Amino acid sequence: MLAGSGHAAFAVDVGSDDAFAALHDSVQAWLGTGRALDVLVNNAGIASGGALVDTTMEEWRRVLEINLLGVVRGCRTFLPAMLQRGSGQILNIASFAGLAGAPSIMSYGVAKAGVVALSEQLRAELHTTGVDVSVACPAFFQTNLLQSWHGDPNMKAAAQRMMQRSHDSLDHVADRVFAAVQQRAFLILPTHAEPLRWRIKRWFPEFYFRRLTRAVAAMTRSKT
């Protein structure tokens, strides 16, 4: 643990049940008796990409263990104290990949879709308890996520290009997420193009699918 000026930093393996139990004990000791977290942000994740037939079960297990079950562990660990107090905010960081239905991001997209579904169900489960749930689904913007890449190197290169071309900055995304959480919004789409894309997918799913497949085909041609 690193602590000072009212802040503390703890290291945890989000893929480990035991590590989360130890984190809970450390955080509770730092907070003191009778206190609980006000806000829980489940943000840790790794990146992966590739077609289903090119994935391995090892990749699936690792990505689901961290990107989905890591969120489950965070909620299970810190939610009980919030429920006991009758207030709190949980923010789960998913991805627009969990909504987009795009190809060649199989394990990553499925894990993030699971985070969205988990958040929806948890929101309903916690209704009237005083604990609010939000889920953020950003698209590409410049981060260090690709340092954890598993899978097709061509997809990694494509993801890097999309990050570099993004009109969204880390500060912009963080500010939009923060503002939305303050308003107790549930589904947060903090990158510029995604609110419209999400509405097109919901209202005109076949039109969205045609647009999606054309965009993927254009990206494929640009690499050849």
Side-chain angles (χ1 to χ4, degrees), residues 9-75:
F10 304 86
V12 61
D13 175 1
V14 299
S16 165
D17 299 345
D18 292 341
F20 254 110
L23 174 67
H24 173 268
D25 293 345
S26 297
V27 170
Q28 202 57 54
W30 181 72
L31 288 174
T33 305
R35 296 182 63 194
L37 290 181
D38 295 312
V39 179
L40 169 66
V41 181
N42 290 303
N43 181 56
I46 58 176
S48 61
L52 177 64
V53 295
D54 297 325
T55 60
T56 65
M57 291 310 300
E58 179 184 4
E59 174 190 318
W60 279 94
R61 291 187 184 97
R62 179 165 173 75
V63 173
L64 291 172
E65 193 70 68
I66 294 173
N67 290 10
L68 176 55
L69 295 182
V71 176
V72 173
R73 291 183 182 95
C75 293

Side-chain angles (χ1 to χ4, degrees), residues 36 78-88 125-126 129-131:
F78 293 104
L79 176 58
M82 291 182 175
L83 289 173
Q84 186 175 17
R85 187 182 60 195
S87 65
E125 192 167 284
L126 299 182
T129 66
V131 180

